[in-house]
Amino acid sequence: MQKRPTSRDVARLAGVSQSTVSFVYTGRDGVAPATRERVLQAASELNYRPNLAARAMRTQRTGRLAVVFPVSAPNPLSMLRGATLAAEKAGYVLEILSLPDNRDERAERVEELIDGGQYEGFLSFTPLPQRILNLSREAGPVVLWASAFDDEMHATGVFTEAQPIVVMMERLVELGHRRFLHITGPLDFPSAVARRDAYLATVERLGLDSIAVIEGDWTSEVGLEVVRSLPEKTAPFALIAPNDSVAIGAMRAARLRGWSMPGDMSVTGWDDIGTSAFLVPSLTSVVQDRALVGEHSMRRLIAAVRGEEEPEKPGEVHRVVWRESIGAPSS
């Protein structure tokens, strides 16, 4: 049986003392960032995992973190993957704990987990009462809210960034478009409001012709119905859809009407779902790097647990993927 690597092995490979390895994994101050990275790299190469039980006895730290997530949270896997990788890289064991959907019940459950003393810190992607968020190292484990969703599980925070709408519309104008139509998501979603407002501001700033702003939902049916109901002699225009599903419904309606894309109708989506690159034409869309958000949120929690400076903000969370569904309007 292969011998399990020890902190002494990590120290030897990294060229540091064994105490430095210990300082890295217990979050002690005084370790230079380059040294910390060298230790973590050596640990990764050796597949080293600290003995959490021994650490807890020596330091009163468990080496365990938790992400708490309501069971109804939408599309959490990418964020959880990013958070998990960041925790493992820093030498922590991460557990994913489901919570009730009700906010009060959610808070009660988190307080029970805090009282259990098994975790050094908690990361929540949904709101928690301020009394919980005010906890400190002295009073108990650190609890951090990464503002990804509100109480209704609607995307918020960084996910309401609407600048890609502006970028796509400016590109469409460069291609010759002056007439636009926007289908929104449900306007009780902060992201839908942000994208609508970005659309309207861009129309006004560039002096464009807005055919309509139509409140819809996130389904293909609304895209299909909106485009199917447009007048027969609708001049070429660009449709800004709230997500790829709505855009796909609009594209089907355009095909059924015999319209060319992008000549008669250019269209953009959002979310870059798996099939969007394989449509005919392939759909211009927006990628949201949720794994990056999860990773950055976990790094913030770890910094708070260790009493370190907060990490720099993440890189580009949103990115436009340009494809065949936009082009110059037909004359």
Side-chain angles (χ1 to χ4, degrees):
M1 182 179 295
Q2 187 176 7
K3 180 183 177 183
R4 176 176 174 174
T6 66
S7 60
R8 189 183 303 277
D9 299 323
V10 174
R12 186 180 303 111
L13 181 59
V16 299
S17 67
Q18 192 174 2
S19 60
T20 298
V21 175
S22 177
F23 290 167
V24 168
Y25 278 96
T26 56
R28 290 275 294 275
D29 296 331
V31 179
T35 302
R36 182 186 302 279
E37 184 61 31
R38 197 162 70 247
V39 168
L40 293 175
Q41 180 61 37
S44 177
E45 291 179 19
L46 294 171
N47 197 27
Y48 167 75
R49 293 293 182 269
N51 187 320
L52 300 182
R55 180 203 292 181
M57 292 179 64
R58 293 193 310 269
T59 67
Q60 302 301 307
R61 297 184 179 182
T62 66
R64 300 170 71 193
L65 303 173
V67 171
V68 289
F69 227 97
V71 293
S72 64
N75 303 322
L77 293 182
S78 294
M79 283 192 296
L80 295 178
R81 187 180 304 113
T84 300
L85 292 174
E88 290 180 349
K89 184 177 181 181
Y92 288 92
V93 170
L94 182 66
E95 296 184 19
I96 313 300
L97 306 175
S98 62
L99 297 178
D101 290 333
N102 179 272
R103 178 171 181 169
D104 292 336
E105 294 177 3
R106 200 157 68 221
E108 182 178 343
R109 176 58 177 149
V110 172
E111 289 182 304
E112 290 175 358
L113 292 167
I114 290 170
D115 291 341
Q118 298 183 52
Y119 305 98
E120 294 186 49
F122 294 84
L123 174 62
S124 176
F125 289 105
T126 51
L128 292 170
Q130 196 61 44
R131 70 178 185 276
I132 295 178
L133 298 176
N134 284 339
L135 288 172
S136 66
R137 287 287 318 184
E138 290 73 30
V142 174
V143 182
L144 177 70
W145 172 38
S147 54
F149 300 98
D150 62 19
D151 282 325
E152 285 72 42
M153 297 297 105
H154 297 169
T156 186
V158 68
F159 294 135
T160 63
E161 169 59 55
Q163 183 61 23
I165 294 289
V166 178
V167 172
M168 291 188 291
M169 291 180 69
E170 289 177 343
R171 176 60 180 150
L172 285 159
V173 170
E174 290 174 359
L175 292 169
H177 283 279
R178 303 298 299 177
R179 304 179 75 250
F180 286 79
L181 186 153
H182 179 40
I183 303 173
T184 77
L187 293 178
D188 57 340
F189 282 71
S191 57
V193 173
R195 294 171 203 173
R196 179 203 62 186
D197 291 349
Y199 170 85
L200 291 172
T202 304
V203 165
E204 182 176 2
R205 176 171 60 85
L206 299 181
L208 306 175
D209 178 14
S210 178
I211 300 172
V213 175
I214 301 171
E215 181 176 358
D217 53 29
W218 307 114
T219 67
S220 296
E221 286 79 6
V222 71
L224 181 74
E225 183 57 35
V226 167
V227 173
R228 187 164 54 188
S229 65
L230 291 173
E232 185 65 31
K233 294 186 178 180
T234 298
F237 69 101
L239 170 63
I240 307 299
N243 67 2
D244 287 7
S245 293
V246 174
I248 289 169
M251 293 169 73
R252 175 170 174 78
R255 283 291 187 216
L256 291 174
R257 298 189 65 157
W259 291 357
S260 65
M261 289 177 287
D264 294 326
M265 183 184 81
S266 285
V267 59
T268 67
W270 193 290
D271 289 333
D272 194 34
I273 62 176
T275 57
S276 295
F278 300 95
L279 300 172
V280 180
S282 55
L283 178 61
T284 291
S285 191
V286 178
V287 173
Q288 286 187 330
D289 193 341
R290 295 195 170 204
L292 183 63
V293 174
E295 176 190 1
H296 176 71
S297 300
M298 180 53 64
R299 291 176 59 217
R300 286 181 58 211
L301 175 65
I302 291 167
V305 166
R306 292 175 169 177
E308 299 173 345
E309 290 186 9
E310 186 164 308
E312 295 182 1
K313 290 183 178 180
E316 191 176 25
V317 173
H318 296 89
R319 177 173 55 87
V320 178
V321 182
W322 304 104
R323 297 197 181 102
E324 301 161 341
S325 65
I326 67 167
S330 57
S331 56

